[in-house]
């Protein structure tokens, strides 16, 4: 017999995987690039509405869909392994390269795909390569300035835009499509940030007490008055946004902040008019939550003045330095 509670209500169980609640069947696959590719490919193959909306967004396709093949991880000699291929023989041929986070494929990688024998010899009048990542189209246009590679048009699509495609398709899809796309939307929304929301590691940085040359705002005011902070991506800086960031100056810890959100910027003047208009390398711009700190003083300790360190949140509340 099926067990029921004493009042006759249905029993509902929460599923957790490695300590995290599972809200979408796609989460069971994982969150690596191949897992994302497989999830999107399954949805494209099982939801004609989603396939139609994505093709319209990626290549402007508005004609009918009679025979479309979706291929994943297709290997072809010197042409490498593609993430997703969508082809309607004699009509269109699309290769999509998926990246997690603010990464884009290299020109060499795109040239390899454009030179694939099956792609090059296809008689489809519409052929395109699309890079899917978290990058906005504005940012991607700076990093992928070539609109064509080996004569093939190159486009971009963000995970946010792909999620919007799923939402649009869900509204007009069948009941089965609505269920499938609902699961995909939950999954994609969880991937639209690289921030490790379950981490208690704090990135502790030093703020200069003065105002940088040619600026009309100090680093301390950017944090305390604007609730913002920014830094380069990668190298000696985090390549992924941390969950918490802390600031020290005047020889001690001043405040700890949860990072409420972030974006990638290349010109600080677009966010801070007090900083001159200039193009930088890509930087994470954080939106900081309300600051908090231990009730007692935590001195800098044995760290060189401008040093940056990682520290567990509870350590900042229990140690003297």
């Amino acid at each position: 017999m099926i067990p029921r509670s004493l009042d006759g209500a249905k029993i509902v169980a929460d599923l957790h995987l490695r300590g995290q609640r599972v809200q979408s069947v796609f989460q069971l696959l994982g969150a690596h690039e191949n897992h994302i590719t497989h999830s999107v490919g399954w949805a494209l193959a099982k939801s004609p509405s989603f396939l139609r909306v994505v093709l319209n967004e990626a290549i402007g396709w508005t004609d009918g869909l009679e025979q479309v093949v979706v291929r994943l991880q297709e290997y072809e000699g010197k042409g490498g392994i593609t993430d997703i291929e969508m082809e309607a023989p004699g009509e269109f041929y699309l290769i999509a390269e998926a990246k997690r986070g603010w990464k884009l494929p290299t020109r060499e990688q795109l040239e390899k795909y454009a030179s694939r024998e099956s792609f090059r010899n296809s008689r489809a009048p519409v052929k395109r390569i699309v890079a899917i990542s978290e990058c906005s189209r504005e940012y991607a246009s700076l990093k992928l300035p070539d609109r064509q590679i080996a004569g093939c048009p190159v486009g971009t699509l963000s995970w946010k835009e792909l999620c919007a495609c799923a939402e649009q398709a869900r509204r007009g899809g069948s009941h089965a499509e609505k269920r499938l796309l609902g699961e995909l939307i939950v999954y994609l929304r969880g991937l639209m940030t690289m921030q490790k929301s379950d981490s208690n590691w704090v990135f502790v940085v030093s703020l200069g007490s003065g105002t940088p040359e040619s600026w009309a705002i100090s680093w301390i005011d950017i944090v305390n008055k604007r609730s913002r902070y920014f830094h380069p991506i990668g190298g000696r800086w985090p390549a992924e946004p941390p969950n918490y960031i802390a600031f020290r100056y005047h020889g001690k810890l001043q405040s700890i902040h949860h990072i409420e959100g972030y974006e990638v910027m290349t010109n600080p003047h677009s966010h801070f008019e007090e900083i001159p208009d200039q193009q930088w390398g890509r930087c994470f711009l954080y939106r900081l939550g309300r600051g908090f700190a231990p009730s007692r003083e935590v001195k800098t300790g044995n760290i060189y003045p401008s040093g940056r360190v990682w520290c567990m949140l509870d350590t900042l509340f229990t140690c003297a330095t």
Side-chain angles (χ1 to χ4, degrees):
M1 296 179 63
I2 298 176
R4 301 179 70 88
S5 60
L6 293 177
D7 61 1
K10 294 182 179 178
I11 297 174
V12 179
D14 275 341
L15 176 63
H16 289 74
L17 175 64
R18 301 186 189 95
Q20 298 296 312
R21 187 184 179 199
V22 177
Q23 297 177 288
S24 166
V25 67
F26 295 112
Q27 289 176 270
L28 297 175
L29 284 176
H32 295 301
E33 285 179 355
N34 285 349
H35 303 148
I36 303 170
T37 297
H38 298 164
S39 299
V40 173
W42 177 260
L44 289 168
K46 295 300 179 180
S47 172
S49 298
F50 183 48
L51 178 62
R52 187 176 294 108
V53 174
V54 170
L55 287 172
N56 183 34
E57 183 72 22
I59 62 175
W61 188 262
T62 57
D63 294 344
L65 297 174
E66 294 183 2
Q67 183 181 1
V68 180
V69 179
V70 179
R71 293 186 287 267
L72 305 177
Q73 307 290 304
E74 192 76 4
Y75 173 76
E76 186 179 294
K78 296 181 179 180
I81 303 175
T82 54
D83 284 337
I84 303 175
E85 296 184 16
M86 288 173 271
E87 181 183 14
E91 297 188 58
F92 62 81
Y93 196 153
L94 170 65
I95 293 178
E97 172 65 16
K99 297 289 186 183
R100 183 172 178 182
W102 287 79
K103 295 187 296 182
L104 289 166
T106 63
R107 180 181 178 85
E108 290 73 21
Q109 188 174 18
L110 297 179
E111 287 177 338
K112 185 180 292 187
Y113 294 158
S115 66
R116 290 168 68 92
E117 185 175 353
S118 59
F119 189 68
R120 192 176 63 250
N121 294 338
S122 170
R123 296 184 178 181
V126 178
K127 292 193 287 186
R128 184 165 300 176
I129 299 174
V130 174
I132 306 175
S133 72
E134 198 164 342
C135 301
S136 65
R137 293 197 180 188
E138 293 77 14
Y139 175 78
S141 67
L142 297 174
K143 295 299 179 179
L144 284 176
D146 297 321
R147 296 301 181 183
Q148 288 199 348
I149 297 225
C152 175
V154 176
T156 61
L157 193 64
S158 69
W159 290 117
K160 183 177 181 180
E161 290 168 328
L162 194 68
C163 190
C165 288
E167 291 171 338
Q168 179 182 341
R170 187 169 183 254
R171 289 193 291 268
S174 65
H175 291 301
E177 288 178 293
K178 290 181 189 297
R179 288 192 296 270
L180 172 66
L181 295 176
E183 299 268 359
L184 183 68
I185 290 167
V186 169
Y187 178 64
L188 291 179
R189 283 177 177 168
L191 298 170
M192 286 192 294
T193 173
M194 291 289 286
Q195 189 175 354
K196 298 177 179 178
S197 59
D198 60 343
S199 173
N200 282 328
W201 281 100
V202 183
F203 186 52
V204 185
V205 304
S206 172
L207 296 180
S209 57
T211 300
E213 184 178 357
S214 76
W215 290 21
I217 188 172
S218 68
W219 280 108
I220 293 176
D221 283 346
I222 288 175
V223 171
N224 292 339
K225 295 183 179 180
R226 303 292 182 82
S227 297
R228 297 289 188 274
Y229 183 72
F230 56 88
H231 65 71
I233 300 175
R236 296 183 178 181
W237 294 88
E240 301 177 4
N243 199 27
Y244 293 97
I245 191 166
F247 302 101
R248 58 183 181 82
Y249 49 91
H250 302 328
K252 63 180 181 180
L253 177 71
Q254 299 288 343
S255 60
I256 306 167
H257 302 257
H258 180 258
I259 294 178
E260 302 292 338
Y262 78 95
E263 59 185 288
V264 173
M265 71 170 187
T266 56
N267 187 344
H269 182 72
S270 60
H271 301 273
F272 307 95
E273 62 181 15
E274 301 92 342
I275 300 177
D277 190 357
Q278 54 190 306
Q279 284 294 325
W280 289 3
R282 57 183 187 152
C283 296
F284 281 136
L285 172 63
Y286 300 136
R287 188 177 73 255
L288 306 177
R290 186 174 181 179
F292 59 95
S295 57
R296 54 181 178 72
E297 185 176 89
V298 180
K299 294 184 177 180
T300 294
N302 189 25
I303 304 173
Y304 62 92
S306 62
R308 300 181 292 271
V309 298
W310 288 93
C311 185
M312 289 296 291
L313 185 60
D314 57 353
T315 303
L316 292 176
F317 279 83
T318 57
C319 295
T321 67

